[in-house]
């Protein structure tokens, strides 16, 4: 049996009074006058404030327009760019442009990271959590937790807790949702002082209701009912009364549910509220009387509900009345009334079905007539064009043929160029996969050789630890080598495991460091996998351990070049390339394959991709090591 349940706010909304709306319009009018009298370069803050006011006044198109003006201005003057992009994303989310909103937030995030603006970054992550609430709950949780790590101020903390609670509720984790929502409520004083506090308490009561903790839900609704009663907010008091009635109905206390729904009826009668509320109030009283076995009273109230449902065209409530009457008649054995109500129900469902069919037929007829008229207009236009062409054909036939041939040639050349470019890209992708497939066996062969050596030279316990780390590394290699780009986090994790294995193999005779430019977000910046490892391997095998017993070092650096390119530098404190070439002629297969990969990328991606190598010269003019510098493509990874 359907019954009205507590209202839960998916996104907390402020309910404006007429006075508040009037104040916002006055502020808006004042700001619009100000921006007319100021140079545009001085209006960044005003544009954003105007956008916010339009959002509150539910004029989202105007809000998006002024937010976009703020973005353009922020880029021109180089100020508050991340803030402006975030505000544009907020305005876009209000008109349902979620994809555009997410894209603008990603741009804002990149700017905030580059500017090291952790406060703005916290707001961006929180807003990303909010826009992912529409179905992508895991992402909403992920971004809000990132915002929480930045130690946000109280207002942002509350926003994050609200979003996290709603996301956990939607994923079915009611226990976690209640805990977070209670934490949010606890950030306020015990006494209710704001509409936001009311919304948070209402959500907490709803969570308790769905978790079947009915007493806790009822206690909160009674507190809210008292708050609205003190302020003479009868519409909201009506809502709390019907919510409480729903709880007592769920507990089986139908008498208390009847009393609360009758009180709601009195609010509608006395306070001049929307009469459509009569439909749910009368039907709820009737349903509760039916559960109590007081069928005569139930019939009276359900008849009233039927009257108001017909008056306000509330089809679902009307169907509910017929079904409840039919069920009630079957229980008490009133077959005559039962047959009458069954007939009403069948007629109702037939009329609804017929109305839908009639609407579909009418829509199809309108579409047919529209298409028919469009076709007639098209035919007339075609006839007119044909007559015009016939008249002018004799004079322009030769020119048309020449132009047509030129167009065909141009189209042919364009298609050929596009096809050639596409084939080059496809060939590059295939060759990249082939080269990575060559690199994997080479890497695994060298690693297995290291394990064999370690098993022969060391004890079983250390060998077991070595094997565990090696298996983790192999899984990472097999997974990552199938992908064109992996995140910096994944690449660094793979390199760390590799370096740890080599340190065990060489008995800690070297140290290593992995450094990442602060402008690179490890979780979102993508790089092609397995470019550093071959050069690290060359350093370890052929250049590092030629200086006696001293501890040598290998350093790997990832640096920011541009939005399309990332730098990778591998340096060591070995003997450099001159001595390596003289002492040992070694042509690394992995290095050769890496160079081929770079060459393919250069052709396929048209970027400044390449490799440079040089000795490191110390203060005394001697070779102090060797450095490899690579320029690689990068890609934003959002999932």
């Amino acid at each position: 049996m359907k019954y009205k349940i507590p209202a839960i706010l998916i996104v907390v909304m402020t309910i404006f009074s007429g006075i508040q709306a009037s104040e916002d319009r006055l502020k808006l009018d004042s700001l619009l006058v100000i921006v007319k009298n100021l140079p545009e370069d001085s209006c960044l803050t005003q544009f954003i404030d105007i956008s916010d006011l339009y959002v509150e006044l539910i004029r989202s198109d105007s809000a998006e327009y002024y937010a976009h003006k703020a973005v353009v201005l922020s880029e021109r003057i180089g100020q508050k760019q991340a803030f402006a992009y975030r505000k544009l994303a907020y305005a876009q989310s209000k008109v349902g442009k979620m994809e555009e909103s997410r894209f603008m937030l990603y741009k804002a995030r990149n700017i905030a990271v580059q500017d090291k603006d952790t406060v703005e970054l916290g707001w961006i992550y929180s807003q990303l959590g909010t826009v992912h609430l529409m179905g992508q709950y895991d992402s909403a949780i992920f971004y809000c937790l990132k915002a929480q790590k930045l130690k946000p101020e109280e207002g942002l903390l509350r926003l994050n807790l609200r979003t996290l609670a709603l996301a956990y509720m939607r994923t079915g984790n009611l226990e976690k949702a209640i805990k977070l929502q209670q934490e949010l409520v606890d950030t306020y004083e015990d006494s209710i002082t704001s509409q936001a506090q009311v919304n948070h308490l209402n959500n907490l009561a709803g969570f308790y209701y769905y978790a079947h903790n009915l007493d806790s839900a009822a206690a909160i609704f009674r507190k809210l009912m008292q708050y609205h009663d003190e302020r003479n907010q009868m519409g909201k008091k009506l809502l709390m009364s019907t919510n409480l009635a729903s709880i007592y109905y769920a507990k089986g206390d139908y008498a208390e549910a009847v009393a609360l729904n009758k009180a709601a009826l009195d609010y509608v009668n006395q306070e001049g509220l929307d009469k459509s509320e009569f439909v749910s109030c009368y039907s709820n009283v009737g349903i509760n009387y039916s559960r109590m076995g007081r069928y005569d009273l139930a019939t009276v109230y359900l008849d009233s509900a039927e009257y108001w449902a017909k008056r306000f065209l509330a089809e679902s409530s009307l169907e509910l009345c017929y079904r409840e009457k039919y069920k009630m008649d079957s229980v008490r054995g009133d077959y005559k009334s039962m047959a009458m109500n069954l007939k009403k129900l069948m007629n109702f469902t037939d009329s609804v079905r017929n109305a839908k069919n009639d609407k579909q037929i009418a829509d199809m007829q309108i579409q047919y007539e529209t298409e028919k008229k469009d076709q007639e207009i098209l035919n007339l236009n075609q006839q007119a064009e044909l007559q015009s062409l016939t008249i002018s054909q004799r004079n322009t036939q030769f020119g048309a043929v020449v132009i047509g041939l030129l167009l065909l040639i141009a189209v042919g050349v364009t298609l050929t160029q596009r096809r050639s470019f596409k084939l080059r890209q496809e060939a590059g992708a295939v060759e990249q996969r082939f080269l990575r497939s060559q690199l994997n066996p080479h890497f695994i062969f060298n690693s297995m050789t290291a394990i064999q050596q370690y098993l022969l030279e060391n004890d079983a316990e250390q060998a077991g630890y070595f094997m565990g780390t090696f298996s983790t590394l192999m899984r990472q290699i097999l997974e990552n080598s199938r992908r064109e780009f992996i995140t910096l986090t994944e690449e660094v994790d793979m390199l760390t495991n590799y370096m740890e294995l080599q340190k065990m193999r060489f008995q800690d005779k070297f140290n290593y460091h992995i450094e990442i430019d602060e402008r690179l977000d490890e979780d979102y910046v993508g790089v092609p996998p397995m470019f550093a490892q071959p050069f690290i391997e060359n350093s370890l095998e052929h250049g590092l351990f030629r200086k006696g017993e001293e501890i040598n070092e290998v350093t790997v650096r990832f640096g920011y070049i541009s939005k399309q390119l990332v730098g990778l530098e591998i340096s060591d404190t070995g003997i450099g390339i001159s001595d390596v070439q003289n002492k040992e002629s070694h042509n690394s297969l992995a290095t050769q394959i890496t160079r081929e990969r770079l060459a393919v990328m250069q052709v396929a991606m048209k970027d400044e991709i390449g490799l440079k190598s040089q000795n490191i010269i110390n203060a005394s003019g001697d070779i102090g090591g060797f450095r490899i510098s690579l320029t690689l493509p990068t890609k934003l990874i959002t999932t």
Side-chain angles (χ1 to χ4, degrees):
M1 172 55 60
K2 296 180 180 178
Y3 195 77
K4 190 171 184 179
I5 62 174
I8 294 182
L9 303 176
I10 298 302
V11 177
V12 175
M13 300 175 64
T14 305
I15 301 175
F16 289 95
S17 65
I19 295 174
Q20 181 64 54
S22 297
E23 290 177 356
D24 288 340
R25 290 191 187 94
L26 288 173
K27 291 178 185 177
L28 179 61
D29 292 340
S30 176
L31 283 170
L32 290 171
V33 170
I34 290 172
V35 297
K36 285 182 180 179
N37 297 317
L38 283 176
E40 188 173 279
D41 286 359
S42 305
C43 295
L44 178 59
T45 302
Q46 287 81 3
F47 285 156
I48 291 173
D49 290 343
I50 290 171
S51 175
D52 286 341
L53 286 169
Y54 272 126
V55 168
E56 302 299 349
L57 292 169
I58 319 178
R59 292 181 58 183
S60 300
D61 290 339
S62 297
E64 185 179 3
Y65 170 76
Y66 277 96
H68 186 268
K69 285 176 71 72
V71 166
V72 173
L73 178 56
S74 70
E75 289 183 336
R76 187 165 70 241
I77 65 177
Q79 296 178 10
K80 295 185 177 181
Q81 288 177 264
F83 180 51
Y85 273 111
R86 176 169 64 86
K87 286 297 184 179
L88 176 57
Y90 178 61
Q92 288 173 332
S93 69
K94 292 301 180 180
V95 291
K97 297 179 179 180
M98 294 304 174
E99 288 298 326
E100 293 89 339
S101 178
R102 280 192 284 268
F103 178 75
M104 290 301 166
L105 287 170
Y106 293 143
K107 293 190 69 171
R109 179 199 59 196
N110 293 341
I111 295 170
V113 169
Q114 185 174 346
D115 294 343
K116 299 179 183 179
D117 189 346
T118 56
V119 174
E120 181 60 30
L121 190 59
W123 283 99
I124 292 166
Y125 281 138
S126 181
Q127 197 167 320
L128 276 167
T130 301
V131 298
H132 281 92
L133 264 182
M134 300 303 156
Q136 296 173 297
Y137 306 120
D138 290 338
S139 295
I141 292 169
F142 169 77
Y143 283 115
C144 283
L145 290 177
K146 284 183 76 73
Q148 292 293 78
K149 289 180 182 178
L150 297 175
K151 299 180 180 179
E153 62 186 37
E154 186 177 61
L156 184 56
L157 171 66
R158 288 172 175 171
L159 182 59
N160 290 331
L161 288 172
R162 176 203 56 103
T163 304
L164 284 168
L166 288 168
Y168 279 115
M169 189 273 289
R170 290 304 188 191
T171 58
N173 191 343
L174 283 170
E175 182 179 354
K176 186 75 172 178
I178 290 171
K179 180 180 177 182
L180 289 165
Q181 192 69 20
Q182 185 64 62
E183 186 178 341
L184 170 58
V185 169
D186 290 343
T187 63
Y188 294 88
E189 297 178 359
D190 288 339
S191 59
I192 303 173
T193 58
S194 67
Q195 181 61 42
Q197 210 173 342
V198 171
N199 293 337
H200 299 326
L201 284 167
N202 188 71
N203 283 3
L204 180 59
F207 293 165
Y208 277 130
Y209 180 88
Y210 286 123
H212 304 292
N213 189 342
L214 302 178
D215 291 335
S216 296
I220 294 173
F221 282 134
R222 286 198 180 279
K223 182 177 180 178
L224 290 172
M225 191 171 181
Q226 180 181 355
Y227 170 82
H228 294 311
D229 189 29
E230 291 170 355
R231 286 153 182 79
N232 200 32
Q233 297 172 334
M234 290 299 108
K236 297 174 186 177
K237 187 177 178 182
L238 167 67
L239 177 62
M240 294 303 107
S241 183
T242 54
N243 284 349
L244 278 168
S246 301
I247 290 174
Y248 283 103
Y249 175 85
K251 293 173 70 173
D253 190 346
Y254 304 121
E256 184 63 23
V258 165
L260 287 163
N261 277 309
K262 283 186 174 181
L265 280 171
D266 290 339
Y267 299 148
V268 179
N269 272 319
Q270 296 173 11
E271 303 299 332
L273 299 178
D274 187 356
K275 301 301 181 183
S276 64
E277 295 290 345
F278 277 141
V279 180
S280 59
C281 291
Y282 276 118
S283 64
N284 287 346
V285 174
I287 291 169
N288 279 286
Y289 272 134
S290 176
R291 299 297 180 271
M292 295 167 66
R294 303 180 66 176
Y295 300 120
D296 291 338
L297 283 172
T299 300
V300 171
Y301 280 94
L302 288 172
D303 285 343
S304 296
E306 180 182 348
Y307 165 79
W308 288 104
K310 288 178 179 178
R311 181 171 174 178
F312 289 102
L313 303 177
E315 293 182 352
S316 59
S317 297
L318 191 58
E319 182 181 4
L320 177 63
C321 290
Y322 291 147
R323 291 187 183 278
E324 184 62 30
K325 286 181 181 180
Y326 174 76
K327 182 184 291 186
M328 188 171 59
D329 290 335
S330 65
V331 171
R332 62 181 178 176
D334 188 345
Y335 299 110
K336 181 178 179 180
S337 179
M338 180 179 171
M340 181 183 68
N341 285 310
L342 178 60
K343 184 178 180 180
K344 284 184 178 181
L345 179 60
M346 293 175 66
N347 289 337
F348 170 77
T349 54
D350 287 342
S351 65
V352 171
R353 189 182 303 112
N354 291 336
K356 290 181 179 179
N357 291 337
D358 291 344
K359 186 177 184 304
Q360 289 178 351
I361 292 170
D363 291 342
M364 291 173 65
Q365 184 67 28
I366 292 171
Q367 184 179 359
Y368 169 75
E369 294 294 339
T370 302
E371 290 178 355
K372 183 179 177 181
K373 289 179 181 178
D374 290 343
Q375 187 61 44
E376 289 175 354
I377 294 170
L378 179 61
N379 290 337
L380 290 172
N381 289 337
Q382 288 177 342
Q383 289 177 8
E385 290 175 5
L386 183 60
Q387 290 174 355
S388 177
L389 286 172
T390 302
I391 294 169
S392 62
Q393 186 175 14
R394 296 169 185 171
N395 299 324
T396 59
Q397 193 171 35
F398 178 75
V401 170
V402 172
I403 292 171
L405 287 174
L406 290 174
L407 286 173
L408 287 174
I409 292 171
V411 170
V413 170
T414 302
L415 291 176
T416 301
Q417 289 177 340
R418 288 183 179 177
R419 180 174 178 81
S420 176
F421 178 72
K422 184 177 180 181
L423 288 174
R424 285 201 304 272
Q425 283 189 317
E426 291 175 353
V430 170
E431 191 167 353
Q432 280 290 322
R433 288 193 291 272
F434 172 70
L435 291 172
R436 287 201 302 273
S437 70
Q438 285 184 302
L439 188 59
N440 287 342
H442 178 76
F443 193 4
I444 294 171
F445 172 78
N446 285 346
S447 300
M448 291 301 295
T449 301
I451 289 177
Q452 184 180 25
Q453 178 181 345
Y454 200 81
L455 288 171
L456 291 173
E457 295 178 358
N458 295 274
D459 59 79
E461 182 177 351
Q462 287 296 319
Y465 177 74
F466 192 100
M467 285 294 293
T469 306
F470 174 73
S471 65
T472 299
L473 180 61
M474 287 302 97
R475 176 179 56 79
Q476 290 174 322
I477 293 170
L478 293 173
E479 288 179 355
N480 293 340
S481 64
R482 290 196 299 266
R483 295 156 59 189
E484 296 294 330
F485 290 88
I486 63 175
T487 65
L488 265 179
T489 298
E490 293 169 321
E491 176 73 7
V492 169
D493 191 30
M494 185 168 62
L495 281 175
T496 301
N497 285 330
Y498 173 74
M499 296 295 250
E500 288 296 324
L501 284 174
Q502 293 289 25
K503 281 195 70 174
M504 286 190 287
R505 176 189 168 200
F506 289 106
Q507 300 178 350
D508 291 328
K509 290 183 179 178
F510 75 95
N511 292 324
Y512 72 91
H513 307 281
I514 300 176
E515 301 173 2
I516 300 175
D517 194 315
E518 293 181 353
R519 292 172 292 178
L520 298 176
D521 191 328
E522 300 173 50
D523 295 329
Y524 301 101
V525 172
V527 294
M530 300 178 64
F531 264 98
Q533 178 272 333
F535 298 103
I536 297 171
E537 181 179 306
N538 273 354
S539 176
L540 296 175
E541 297 289 347
H542 310 295
L544 196 61
F545 305 111
R546 309 296 174 91
K547 288 190 174 184
E549 297 299 324
E550 65 181 275
I551 299 297
N552 293 282
E553 293 189 356
V554 176
T555 302
V556 180
R557 295 185 182 89
F558 292 93
Y560 176 87
I561 297 177
S562 69
K563 292 182 179 180
Q564 291 78 34
L565 298 172
V566 66
L568 170 59
E569 181 182 288
I570 304 102
S571 59
D572 62 43
T573 58
I575 62 174
I577 196 168
S578 178
D579 288 346
V580 171
Q581 288 175 332
N582 292 335
K583 292 183 180 181
E584 186 173 335
S585 177
H586 177 81
N587 184 19
S588 167
L589 174 61
T591 305
Q592 180 183 347
I593 293 171
T594 300
R595 291 180 183 274
E596 292 176 9
R597 287 180 68 191
L598 287 170
V600 172
M601 283 185 175
Q602 178 69 46
V603 173
M605 299 186 180
K606 301 290 184 183
D607 284 321
E608 298 176 2
I609 297 166
L611 178 150
K612 296 179 182 178
S613 60
Q614 64 184 46
N615 287 324
I616 300 173
I617 307 300
N618 58 28
S620 60
D622 298 325
I623 296 176
F626 192 66
R627 179 185 296 115
I628 295 286
S629 300
L630 298 100
T631 303
L632 301 175
T634 184
K635 177 182 179 181
L636 179 66
I637 298 178
T638 58
T639 56

